[in-house]
Amino acid sequence: MKKNTLLISILCLSATFFQTNAQKIAEKYAKTITVKDLRKHLTFIASDSLKGRDTGSPEQKVAAEYIAKQFSNYGFKAPVNGKSHLQLVDLVKRGWGDFYLKTKNKEFKYLSDFIANSISPMPQEENFETVFVGYGIEDKALNDYESAKVNGKIVVAFEGEPRLADGSYLISGNTEMSKWSKGDAWKEKMATAKSKGAKALLLISKQSVEEFEKVIKQRQTMLKRFGNARINFAEEKDPQSSDFAVLTIGQTMAADLFNTTVAELSILKEKAITKSVANQLEKQSVKIKIERTVQPVETYNVLGYLEGTDKKDELVIVTSHYDHVGVTDGKIYNGADDDGSGTVSVLEVAQAFSEAAKSGNKPRRSMLFMAVTGEEKGLLGSEYYVRHPVFPLESTVCDINIDMVGRTDKEHEGKGDYIYVIGSDKLSSELHASLIEQNAKHNPIDLDFRFNDPNDPNRFYYRSDHYNFAKNKIPVAFFFNGVHDDYHQPTDDVEKIEFDKMEKRAKLVFYLAWDIANRDKRIVVDSDKK
């Protein structure tokens, strides 16, 4: 018994020694994460010269090359095809060129005179006859297609459905709307028009002339801010195109289209309460062109790989996105906090691992440090990586994601150091426990988990790159300082970054990554919280 007790004591002392030694090693290399280096990197990444690092811009490519150079200087392997730190993310920018309708007297333009519900490209100008079909309803109570011949023509119809003076609806016979008004009712009208052989559908808005003009102005503002193009995966079907065009037009355009007046259209709507008014506007000839433009986007995820030792086939990933939103109205959106702060924190955590490896303290598991592109366009870079992983997803232990760690939100103004951590407990209790343990051991800061709440209206858990890993059942931890008045504004500049707080947050990321990379057993996946 005494021998067994002595052996157990020796083993316990050995375990304590190795844990203490491992902690000292971690603390030694955490010291390489400094305010000075964070400031140096961020001063370049968030400089005016990089013009907001918009996805696919030449300036974003400069940022990618800068990050790749740091990884190379750290001695990291280039893992993309064994020769590059840059993973090309195959994206295209799809937009609209000429998009108009013409009569012999007037031309109507997209987002000046009409908006689109569904768009089918027509690259060459085509000529069609328009047919007015009242409300475009086919029902036993009202059949607008009974006498209308619409095959090969453009159908024009009122939005919604007839409503009687007592407030009841003609179709239902009571105060409940039918499928011709509920939700995406335009899809019902589209399906009916398509089934009759129509080529497109124009819906006359039920909004007043003034209300529809406000909608147009709102869309124009959005167009000015975001452009008419959207970036998507080249490998996917165009998400904004369909096989049938449905356009919503204002009452003024409808009146011009049929050489009538807004007042006459109102009279027709009144008549439609008792019978179909299809064909009661004279058919017109219109020319239509819907030009779809497609442009390749050159953009990259930037990867730095450090091979581990005895558990090198397992991988810990640390991510941030390095893109931002570019330039609008001549103002540069530098994105110093979003997410320059995360990008340079990844560089500093990577350097700490590099210094450890150079001194003979390589991590047991392999490390992948990745600055991803296209987060601002819909988490595209991280989604591309999980679709086309450089290393098997089944070998990926976790993703630690850093998105905005350089500022203080209003909730924490005047209080101590803090960081929001999101998702750490959703898939792995051991990842969450490690986070709490490492924070307690090393100059602890307040860990705020409020955004873990599945009812969080902000839905931050779903809004950064870690989520694409979580969708694949890979445990994640998302570090975030919360939003502030400069979020997505041209005032998100380096001068407002609190580098001392960012240093502490980056060190916590390092301690967590170090523990996960060096523990005996891979962290478990033992939960599936939403």
Side-chain angles (χ1 to χ4, degrees):
M1 289 293 291
K2 289 183 178 179
K3 288 183 178 179
N4 288 340
T5 303
L6 180 60
L7 179 61
I8 291 170
S9 297
I10 291 171
L11 290 173
C12 288
L13 286 170
S14 297
T16 302
F17 170 78
F18 284 118
Q19 287 175 357
T20 304
N21 191 49
Q23 183 172 328
K24 287 182 177 178
I25 292 172
E27 290 172 349
K28 176 181 178 180
Y29 296 107
K31 292 177 181 178
T32 67
I33 299 171
T34 65
V35 165
K36 179 181 178 182
D37 286 349
L38 289 165
R39 188 189 302 275
K40 178 189 72 174
H41 291 309
L42 190 58
T43 299
F44 177 74
I45 289 292
S47 64
D48 285 352
S49 65
L50 293 193
K51 297 182 179 178
R53 308 183 305 281
D54 194 21
T55 302
S57 66
E59 293 78 18
Q60 194 211 20
K61 179 70 179 301
V62 172
E65 290 170 343
Y66 179 88
I67 297 164
K69 182 179 179 181
Q70 305 313 309
F71 287 159
S72 180
N73 290 342
Y74 298 158
F76 291 167
K77 292 183 179 179
V80 182
N81 299 319
K83 60 182 180 181
S84 179
H85 290 287
L86 304 180
Q87 180 190 37
L88 178 65
V89 178
D90 198 8
L91 302 177
V92 292
K93 183 181 287 187
R94 296 183 172 101
W96 302 103
D98 289 336
F99 192 171
Y100 60 77
L101 278 82
K102 287 180 182 177
T103 64
K104 62 181 179 181
N105 297 320
K106 194 166 183 179
E107 179 176 325
F108 307 96
K109 293 186 177 182
Y110 176 51
L111 294 187
S112 291
D113 303 288
F114 60 89
I115 59 178
N117 304 61
S118 173
I119 308 176
S120 177
M122 298 181 188
Q124 305 300 322
E125 185 179 88
E126 297 184 52
N127 193 68
F128 295 101
E129 190 176 64
T130 60
V131 179
F132 176 67
V133 293
Y135 276 93
I137 291 172
E138 188 174 44
D139 186 89
K140 62 182 179 181
L142 177 66
N143 188 350
D144 286 319
Y145 284 95
E146 190 170 21
S147 61
K149 307 297 180 184
V150 302
N151 185 52
K153 299 175 183 179
I154 293 180
V155 170
V156 185
F158 290 126
E159 268 191 325
E161 60 183 310
R163 194 172 188 181
L164 307 179
D166 63 2
S168 63
Y169 290 91
L170 177 65
I171 305 301
S172 66
N174 54 48
T175 56
E176 184 178 347
M177 292 185 294
S178 75
K179 66 179 182 179
W180 304 100
S181 289
K182 287 181 179 178
D184 289 337
W186 63 268
K187 292 181 179 179
E188 290 287 345
K189 296 191 178 187
M190 176 180 73
T192 304
K194 283 177 67 176
S195 71
K196 304 296 181 184
K199 292 297 184 181
L201 170 63
L202 305 184
L203 289 173
I204 303 172
S205 176
K206 57 187 176 184
Q207 294 177 304
S208 69
V209 171
E210 293 76 20
E211 289 172 335
F212 191 73
E213 286 178 353
K214 286 182 181 178
V215 171
I216 289 290
K217 287 179 180 177
Q218 289 170 352
R219 297 293 180 95
Q220 289 174 345
T221 299
M222 289 178 63
L223 178 68
K224 189 175 181 181
R225 173 73 190 273
F226 300 107
N228 76 357
R230 295 291 179 271
I231 294 178
N232 311 104
F233 294 111
E235 63 195 17
E236 287 186 348
K237 181 182 176 183
D238 186 350
Q240 288 186 288
S241 292
S242 70
D243 60 352
F244 195 84
V246 181
L247 311 178
T248 299
I249 66 176
Q251 294 181 40
T252 302
M253 176 175 167
D256 287 344
L257 203 61
F258 287 104
N259 296 318
T260 185
T261 64
V262 171
E264 286 296 324
L265 291 175
S266 297
I267 292 170
L268 274 179
K269 291 185 80 170
E270 290 295 322
K271 289 181 179 179
I273 293 173
T274 56
K275 64 178 182 178
S276 173
V277 293
N279 295 318
Q280 291 197 24
L281 290 174
E282 187 178 342
K283 296 174 183 178
Q284 302 292 326
S285 177
V286 299
K287 294 177 180 178
I288 183 170
K289 184 177 182 180
I290 306 175
E291 182 183 30
R292 192 65 165 142
T293 60
V294 182
Q295 177 184 351
V297 175
E298 183 184 356
T299 190
Y300 301 87
N301 292 330
V302 191
L303 286 65
Y305 175 67
L306 175 62
E307 187 175 74
T309 56
D310 61 313
K311 296 182 179 294
K312 65 182 179 181
D313 291 335
E314 296 179 14
L315 186 74
V316 175
I317 302 181
V318 183
T319 54
S320 65
H321 74 90
Y322 73 104
D323 64 305
H324 197 51
V325 297
V327 180
T328 300
D329 292 335
K331 295 178 180 178
I332 301 172
Y333 288 65
N334 283 318
D337 193 26
D338 183 18
D339 183 30
S341 64
T343 300
V344 301
S345 294
V346 167
L347 290 178
E348 280 295 274
V349 173
Q351 184 187 19
F353 271 89
S354 169
E355 293 300 320
K358 290 175 182 177
S359 300
N361 290 296
K362 291 180 70 174
R364 299 177 69 184
R365 290 174 178 83
S366 297
M367 298 295 303
L368 180 65
F369 299 93
M370 180 162 61
V372 298
T373 187
E375 190 270 356
E376 299 288 0
K377 310 301 182 185
L379 314 186
L380 298 180
S382 54
E383 183 172 352
Y384 188 84
Y385 178 84
V386 298
R387 289 186 185 189
H388 307 276
V390 175
F391 300 95
L393 292 185
E394 58 269 22
S395 300
T396 303
V397 174
C398 70
D399 171 58
I400 302 171
N401 185 47
I402 316 172
D403 192 347
M404 297 175 61
V405 289
R407 295 284 296 274
T408 300
D409 68 355
K410 284 184 168 59
E411 178 66 27
H412 292 87
E413 285 179 358
K415 300 178 182 179
D417 293 328
Y418 78 101
I419 190 68
Y420 294 108
V421 187
I422 306 171
S424 59
D425 68 338
K426 291 188 180 291
L427 289 165
S428 174
S429 61
E430 291 182 356
L431 178 62
H432 188 66
S434 174
L435 167 69
I436 294 171
E437 178 186 7
Q438 294 305 313
N439 183 57
K441 284 181 178 178
H442 306 285
N443 195 16
I445 62 177
D446 178 41
L447 301 179
D448 195 327
F449 297 107
R450 73 186 64 192
F451 296 129
N452 261 348
D453 184 346
N455 297 315
D456 168 33
N458 299 286
R459 294 178 64 80
F460 288 128
Y461 177 61
Y462 306 94
R463 288 171 53 184
S464 192
D465 295 294
H466 61 279
Y467 184 61
N468 282 314
F469 293 92
K471 285 195 299 186
N472 286 275
K473 305 304 179 188
I474 296 169
V476 300
F478 168 29
F479 288 78
F480 175 53
N481 59 218
V483 296
H484 43 73
D485 290 342
D486 298 309
Y487 173 68
H488 275 213
Q489 296 299 317
T491 48
D492 182 7
D493 289 321
V494 174
E495 291 75 18
K496 296 182 180 180
I497 295 296
E498 299 164 283
F499 285 97
D500 55 339
K501 293 182 179 181
M502 188 161 69
E503 179 189 293
K504 292 175 184 177
R505 294 161 179 170
K507 285 180 176 178
L508 177 57
V509 170
F510 170 74
Y511 287 129
L512 176 61
W514 184 267
D515 180 63
I516 300 302
N518 287 291
R519 57 174 48 209
D520 288 333
K521 293 182 180 180
R522 176 174 176 164
I523 57 171
V524 297
V525 179
D526 57 358
S527 185
D528 190 16
K529 297 179 183 178
K530 301 302 181 186

